[in-house]
Amino acid sequence: MAELTQKERMKIPRQDMPVQGPEERVQNFNEVALGFTLDLARMEAERCLQCKEPHCMEGCPVQVKIPEFIEAVRVGDMVKAVQIMKSRNNLPAICGRVCPQEGQCESRCILGKKGEPVAIGRLERFVGDFALAKKAFGVIRGPSTGKKVAVVGSGPAGLSCAVDLGRMGHDVTIFESLHTPGGVLVYGIPEFRLPKEKVIRAEIETAAKALGIRILTDHVIGRTLTINELLAEYDAIFLGTGAGLPTFMRIPGINFNGVMSANEFLTRINLMKGYKFPEFDTPVKVGKRVAVIGAGNVAMDSARCALRLQSLRAGANGGATGAEVHIVYRRSSAEVPARLEEFHHAGEEGVIFDFLTSPVEILGDGKGTVRGMRCVRMKLGEPDQAGRRSPIPIEDSEFELEVDQVVFALGTDPNPLVFFNADGLERTRHGTVVANQETGRTTMKGIWAGGDVVTGAATVISAMGAGKRAAADIDRYLKGELDW
Amino acid sequence: MYNILEKKTLSDVTKLLVVEAPQVARKAKAGQFIIVLINDYGERIPLTIADHDSKAGTVTIIFQEVGKSTVQMGMMQVGDSFKAIVGPLGHPTEIENLGKVICVGGGVGIAPIYPIARELKAAGNHVISIIGARTKELLFWEDKMHAVSDELIVTTDDGSYGRKDLVTAPLKEILEGQPGQIAKIWAIGPAVMMKFAAATTKPFNVPTVVSLNTIMVDGTGMCGGCRVVTDDGAKFVCVDGPEFDAHKVDWQNLLSRMAFYRSEEQASVQRWREGHECNLRRTVGDGLP
């Protein structure tokens, strides 16, 4: 392609990624977005103005050298693109799919001021998928330092910390409580957003192999081993145990059959592949009328999984009518905390949104199973100190919603199990670990923490950023450049 | 890999496996459980640790073949292995010298009651044990229970061995016959048995501990599938338990929650049995009985 002038570049429209249409995709768990072809990627890369002082990088929590990797894509040098990408971000196939780019890198793109920003996330995903397909890791393990680091938890925070430490030549062991590494990437985020085998397993295995990282699954820290036992054997510990403890509303009826946490619903579906029952052994039930409480990404994932299960089961049963999935949220559409794209996808697929609605009681059928939900309508009051308008119940507005499944997606807290016998580790009253925001250092010498276990439930990329910052500090500490 | 080192058939439907799991064996205590996963297609199911050998790095599990996974496990042989063994999970039994105690084991519940009785005996308690099953063929470990008990009563529902009674009958007799002398009771078995054991001991106001075996997925406190209603609020059996004060448990809710996936379980075991038979027929022809 001949070099384009700036004007010509500006005329290229933002390239759309091929996707499965809503009617088709709601009947399967396959990935919705199909990814750029090389031609589409190169066309999109042409749009980048190669700013001398790129603002996009400021919006990236791990400071990927965005214009450089995009330039490599533009000229078609994919190996170079992978190297540039992986010098900062080791898991681009994952980040390219789940980062909220509209609020990060893409929100700072200069093109976004007048038109649409460069599709940095889609390009990142393209580079990541290329690396996986070619099994190109792009970085090598540094000379061995002889220092041993234990990373607890193999979610986004632990993975990014482990991978960086591996590159620095440290001897890393990851302890994971489930039988598969990946944390929320495997049990939480559904297959249709983040393929488990093709992307997560491949990305983790490639990185672990290249960097000599040992992954011990089935190890529940707090039970199988304690933090203090790890401390005796390792030179440093990073806690990336996330926030996996589900929150239920304190209303009557939450223990009826059919009422569950989003964690349970999603774990049965994603980790245990319950959507393929009985080929896989873990059953998962889906109601004919499902209510998901909450409107974050986890709520959208739950609702969209429920829709797909309903379709799959209806197909098997010769078609069922009247199936509905509701998102019940106490604020309005303007306050929806989910990523815009997910909210949009859920709507396209047929999720019904009940805004300004809050459950007050779950109703049983007399045999221990949920048959409905008593709800109250809400209005928004004055903005609070954080600027969020708090919902207030409207008097005499109660009504019944007929549902036979209720999924609570109201956020999660850190699991206290991991802190068994680790009394020196200071925690907040919310159960999160007290840690320095820049370095990740906790109140116990030799222990760092980052990701949701420090911040409470947040995003994949912020956890990855925290893992990276902690790795840098652990490295300097282990080299003796910094005291505790 | 979690290899099976030893297999014993305790009854037609009750099997014992000794499995290599050094990280669990190192820490295991009476009252704790593990989560097992057979293979990539499997489900995660909780099983109580019946025994462990920390030197050999093994744990012993005993299970009754009631569903797809347990039937499949029953067919596993020495040399086969599990995809995952996770644990030890849950709180260990609180063992103290209390004086006179009763240990009740119903059916496959004899397995988890055994290490508890053994520890209680070792701690200096006078241990009265009651073990029972539907029929003689389902009884096991009478000798082992005998060895760790000061008194042992054996019952069968149909009278094919020992006393013809439910385990709750001798339990009630002891409480009536020795008023105020029993310090604490442990009762482990099917949920219905534990419910009736709780009802039996309640009028005597003797502290009674049950070990709940609810539906679980992860077993580490992250899903809440195992939650149980108690007088102290909803609890997660996997992290708050598995032992609970029997007099505080909402048994109706527990039984209803445990039955939630029954139709799926039945479909799954039936499908697997048929598939398994098909495979056999393919290999050995139609000469199967």
Side-chain angles (χ1 to χ4, degrees), chain A residues 177-180 187 217-220 223-226 229 244-246 248 254-261 263-264 267-268 271-272 277-285 313 366-369 415 417 420, chain B residues 2 23-24 26-27 32 37 40-44 68-69 72 83-91 215 217-218 220-225 227 229 234 236 238-239 253 256-257 260-261 263-265 268 271:
Chain A
S177 67
L178 290 171
H179 57 273
T180 307
Y187 75 75
T217 51
D218 311 328
H219 279 68
V220 184
R223 289 278 191 258
T224 313
L225 287 164
T226 63
E229 285 169 312
L245 191 77
F248 290 92
I254 61 153
N255 292 303
F256 285 131
N257 273 328
V259 182
M260 61 193 69
S261 71
N263 266 11
E264 179 182 356
T267 300
R268 283 179 181 273
L271 176 71
M272 306 311 297
F277 180 87
E279 183 193 350
F280 285 75
D281 291 338
T282 304
V284 58
K285 285 212 200 251
R313 304 271 160 94
K367 284 178 266 176
T369 300
N415 191 329
L417 197 60
F420 181 75
Chain B
Y2 306 96
Q23 90 282 10
V24 179
R26 224 166 47 80
K27 275 282 173 67
Q32 290 186 296
L37 172 70
D40 287 327
Y41 294 86
E43 58 182 334
R44 294 168 67 98
K68 196 255 170 180
S69 294
Q72 193 179 353
K83 158 108 178 159
I85 303 268
V86 190
L89 300 169
H91 290 291
I215 289 172
V217 184
D218 61 289
T220 60
M222 60 169 260
C223 85
R227 66 193 189 279
V229 180
F236 288 7
C238 68
V239 292
N253 181 264
S256 132
R257 287 185 63 85
F260 189 48
Y261 286 99
S263 61
E264 282 83 358
E265 280 164 16
S268 187
R271 178 182 177 275

Side-chain angles (χ1 to χ4, degrees), chain B residues 36-56:
Chain B
V36 306
L37 172 70
I38 297 174
N39 58 30
D40 287 327
Y41 294 86
E43 58 182 334
R44 294 168 67 98
I45 59 167
L47 289 170
T48 311
I49 301 168
D51 206 351
H52 67 276
D53 183 335
S54 40
K55 267 203 203 118

Side-chain angles (χ1 to χ4, degrees), chain A residues 164-176:
Chain A
D164 271 13
L165 288 167
R167 291 157 51 144
M168 295 160 182
H170 302 298
D171 184 1
V172 180
T173 305
I174 297 179
F175 293 89
E176 166 56 46

